Every structure is written in structure tokens, then in C-alpha cells.
Amino acid sequence: MRHALTRAALLLCSAGWLVTAGAALAEEAQPEPKPLKLTTTADHTKFKQLQKTFNSGPEVTKACLECHTEAAGQIHRTKHWKWEYLNPETKQMLGKKTVVNNFCISIASNYASCTACHVGYGWKDASFDFKSEENVDCLACHDTTGNYRKPPGFAGNPVVKDTEFPPGSGKTIKGIDLSKIAQKVGKSSRDTCGACHFNGGGGDGVKHGDMDSSLAAPTKELDVHMDAEGLDFTCGTCHKTSSHDVAGSRYTPTAKDSKGAHVRGKADNGNPATCVACHGNGPHKKEARLNLHATKIACQTCHIPTYARGGIPTKMVWDWSTAGKRDAEGKHITKKDAKGHIIYESRKGDFTLAENVKPEYAWFNGQVNYTLVTDKIEKSEQRTQINKMGGSASDGKSMIWPMKVFRGSQPYDPVNKTLVTPHTAGNDDTGYWKNLDWDKAITVGMKDSGHPYSGKMEFLKTEMSWPITHMVAPKEKALGCAECHSKDGRLAGIQGIYIPVRDNNKLLDTIGWAVVFLTLFGVFGHGALRIVTSRKH
């Protein structure tokens, strides 16, 4: 009987082992799952529409539209495509098509150069077809190879074969393979956005100061959100896009966001590209007193102590009035500083560069009024504000914001009393950057923009302000109290608000402390007398 039980047990064990082993063998026999690209739902190398040679950008877009049927129409409705924007508050027609600035001045008659940063192909003059779907440039935002280029001078078209440019210069622009680029498209990135926004104003870091190529792969010290080894935010993380329309605007920025943090699933038409959209209106948990500061002071004021701190200087001054100089042989002059940065060019004038710049500060309520080419300007010793930032301590809408203030000297028509739009870029006889002739350049440029020119020109001192929002430092690097609460602190020029220490009055302080000490003396003296008299009794 015992042997029978033993044999039965062995049989059961053997059967169990066979079942387990069989399952294991079956599991091992399963094929390995195929490797997947987890960053996309489509491998564009497999699309037959993209497996051919493309000789132009519109050919690529035509292939894209076979699947992405609505994309071009969505782009057509955005400010990135139109380059114009009607401010609903001021009723000013703004956008790159219209505004005048104090760095490269205007796109009028300079389209072929400026539209290298347009999300379209072929915008060489005012006849550009804004209704064409095939003129939309998909690759500008969706390239992932880093090889996509649209050089200035080609009206927003990529160069697909080696080309000498400018003609007769002996310099060659290498052609790029649009097929390889189209097969590698993906989500937008800091690189794709930065291709234009890092280089606004004609060079790396020129325009904004808080955006340059150092943000392509920044450290935590440079930007706590875009830290390449940390949170690794892309531009689209904050500037969330709906139907290809990117949130955020330089023309109507959100200066004070009182709507609180955005909640998934909750209907919200607020701006997702604000600090409050993520952090809420009470972000300081341990030091709640700082939340009172946040009702009047923009987050950026404390959390961006300096800008242009990624090793790339930003332009602070651009003086066109010194342009036009030539050397003894009649050739253009270029001067550089000790670090190799250009500080003078015959075609552009003098520049002042700076790194690790402390912002200037101002009350700002989100309203921006621009000085347009149609506006009359009375020349004076004061600088003309190209964009006037609205705001005050008493309007209930303003906060104290950090600003980059860009100062310059630019051409002005003293008879018509207006700014002018010179033709600068171009290899033709009227382009200022070639011939250094202001009269020819302004005559052509004003004709293109459709405004009168008296034939006389002077230089006008101007300034332009940009709210600082990038290069957010880690909280440990935020400004300390003494940076503002001191006589000559960062907010020394801010009016309409009482700032302890900055606004202290010595006489009043002396009287106040005297009252305090006299009160204490009276209290302790009274107590002492009570003790003495009680002992007598």
C-alpha cells in the first residue's frame, strides 16, 4: 500500500513538472515583441508617399496632406501663418506684416530674407498666396533630424541642391535631402521652435534675451523646466497647441492670471502658458506669506534673477546711425569684441551686447500699444517707445514684471514725422546691406509698405520692451528679500506701492521707535511702581 502511494505521488509530481515545464517552454517559444517607436504612432519611413525624391517644399506638403487632410487649413488660421493680428482691445492691426521694430526694423521689401522663419514656402513679395495649402511648411515644426534649413534670401524655401549664394560670392549653400527629413517627422521640439525664436532679430539671442540656443539642451541652473536631464519641457509643454494654434502672444500677453491652475477635464479658455496654469495662485506652501507678494509681483520677477545667462550675449543697443562706414579700400567693416562677437558692422551700425543681465521692472497689465509707421512722432530728447506697455499700481490688473528693454537709433522721416521701413536685405542695387545708401533703401521700402516718404531722413532714438518669461532658475536661486527691500534695490524705480526699507523715512522711523521705547518704559515703570507700593502695604 505504501509503495502504491509513493508511486502515485511521484506520478503527480512528474505531471506537475511536465505541465510547468511545458508552459515555460511554450512561453519561451513565443516570438519577441517587435521593437516599437514609443514617441509616435506612425513610422513615416514606411509611407510610400514619402519614398521618393522631393525637389521642393510644396511637394513634401502635398504628400503630407494626403493623410493630414485638415492640417494646412488649420495653419491658415494661425498667427504663425498670417503674420498679422488684430488686437481686440486697441483695435491695432499688428503682426510681423505690420509692426516696426528697432532691430531689423520691418519685413516690407525684405520678404525673401525675413520669411526664412515663416511657416510657408515662397513668400517673396506682397503677392504671396496665403490661401495655398501646398505653400504650408510642415517640416519647419516637425523635423526631427536637425538637418532642415531655410536660409535667408530664398523666400522661405529650402535649398535642395548645392547653390552659390549670394550669386558671384563664391560661397555655397549645401542642398538638403527632403525625402530623408520627411520620413523622420515627429513632434515639435525646442530645436524646431528655437530655429526661429532663438534667432529672432537676425542672430542667436539678439532679440529676447531669455531665448537663445543655450535652451536647446539647458541645465537645471539655466532653466528648471527645460532642464535636459530633468523635467525636459519642450516649448509645447507650456505653449499648448490646439488645431495648430500655439498658445501665448507677444501682442496680448497674460500679465495677471487669476483663473488658477488648469484642471484636466474642466472647461477652461484661459492661457495655458502662464505660471499659474500649473502652479496655481498659491504656489508657496511653506512660506505662505510669499503668496501675498504673488498678488502684485509676477512669478518671473523673483524667479528669473538675470537673463542671457547661458553663455550667449543678447543685444541691448542697436545704433543704426553709425552704419555706412567703409575702410580705406571702400570695403565694409566688421569689428568684434574679445570673445569674437560682432559689435560693429558697416551694414548695421554699432551693437552693445551683454550677458547675465538684470531685468528692468515695470507695472504691466497685458496691454501693449505699438508705434506704427502711420503714427505721427514728435522728435524729442526722450526715446520713442516702439511698444508702450500699459499698467499702473492702481488699475487692479497690473503686476510688477521683469523686462528686457532694447534701445536703438533708427531711420525717421522728419517731414512726415513717421518711422520708415527701409529695404535692407537683398543683393540688389537698393538693398542697404549691399550699397549703404539710405535714400535708395528707404524710397524702395516705403513704396513697398505703401506709405509716403519725404526724401529726408534723420535718426530717432527708440526703445522696445519684452516681458521676460524664460530661463526660470531653481527656487534656491530666486531673489532674496534684500534684492528689493533696500534703498537702491531692483524695484527702486517702481512707483505707487510701499516697499518696506526702500520707502523708510529716517525721521518717521526715529519718532516711531521713540514711541515704542517710551511705551515699553511706561509699561515696565508702571509695573515696577506697583511692585514697590505693594511691598509697602
Side-chain angles (χ1 to χ4, degrees), residues 159-349:
V159 177
V160 296
K161 61 181 180 180
D162 293 359
T163 304
E164 183 185 32
F165 189 83
S169 66
K171 299 178 181 178
T172 301
I173 296 177
K174 293 289 185 181
I176 58 177
D177 189 333
L178 293 179
S179 180
K180 289 183 178 179
I181 294 170
Q183 291 176 27
K184 297 289 185 180
V185 292
K187 293 181 179 180
S188 64
S189 65
R190 292 193 298 268
D191 290 323
T192 52
C193 297
C196 287
H197 290 284
F198 293 164
N199 294 286
D204 195 1
V206 168
K207 181 177 174 181
H208 297 290
D210 63 336
M211 284 194 285
D212 58 45
S213 61
S214 66
L215 292 179
T219 62
K220 184 178 180 180
E221 293 294 310
L222 180 56
D223 192 287
V224 70
H225 298 111
M226 290 189 269
D227 174 17
E229 295 182 352
L231 295 174
D232 201 23
F233 281 18
T234 66
C235 304
T237 306
C238 294
H239 296 274
K240 293 184 182 296
T241 302
S242 175
S243 301
H244 283 91
D245 192 18
V246 180
S249 170
R250 286 286 178 181
Y251 299 115
T252 55
T254 303
K256 187 173 186 177
D257 186 351
S258 58
K259 296 188 176 182
H262 287 213
V263 179
R264 290 179 65 182
K266 179 182 176 182
D268 197 330
N269 60 356
N271 181 4
T274 68
C275 302
V276 169
C278 283
H279 296 283
N281 281 305
H284 304 97
K285 307 304 180 187
K286 294 183 179 179
E287 299 176 356
R289 181 177 177 80
L290 293 178
N291 290 330
L292 296 176
H293 285 65
T295 63
K296 289 290 185 182
I297 301 173
C299 305
Q300 294 88 333
T301 296
C302 294
H303 290 279
I304 306 178
T306 61
Y307 59 89
R309 64 175 192 272
I312 296 168
T314 187
K315 280 195 177 106
M316 302 301 296
V317 178
W318 186 329
D319 187 354
W320 282 96
S321 70
T322 61
K325 297 176 184 177
R326 299 177 186 266
D327 63 16
E329 298 178 356
K331 296 181 179 180
H332 287 212
I333 300 169
T334 299
K335 296 179 182 178
K336 297 182 179 181
D337 63 15
K339 293 183 178 180
H341 303 301
I342 296 175
I343 56 174
Y344 177 81
E345 282 188 274
S346 294
R347 63 188 189 133
K348 293 184 177 180

Side-chain angles (χ1 to χ4, degrees), residues 4 9 66 203 223 248 282 332 446 523:
E66 289 186 37
D223 192 287
H332 287 212
M446 291 297 278
V523 170

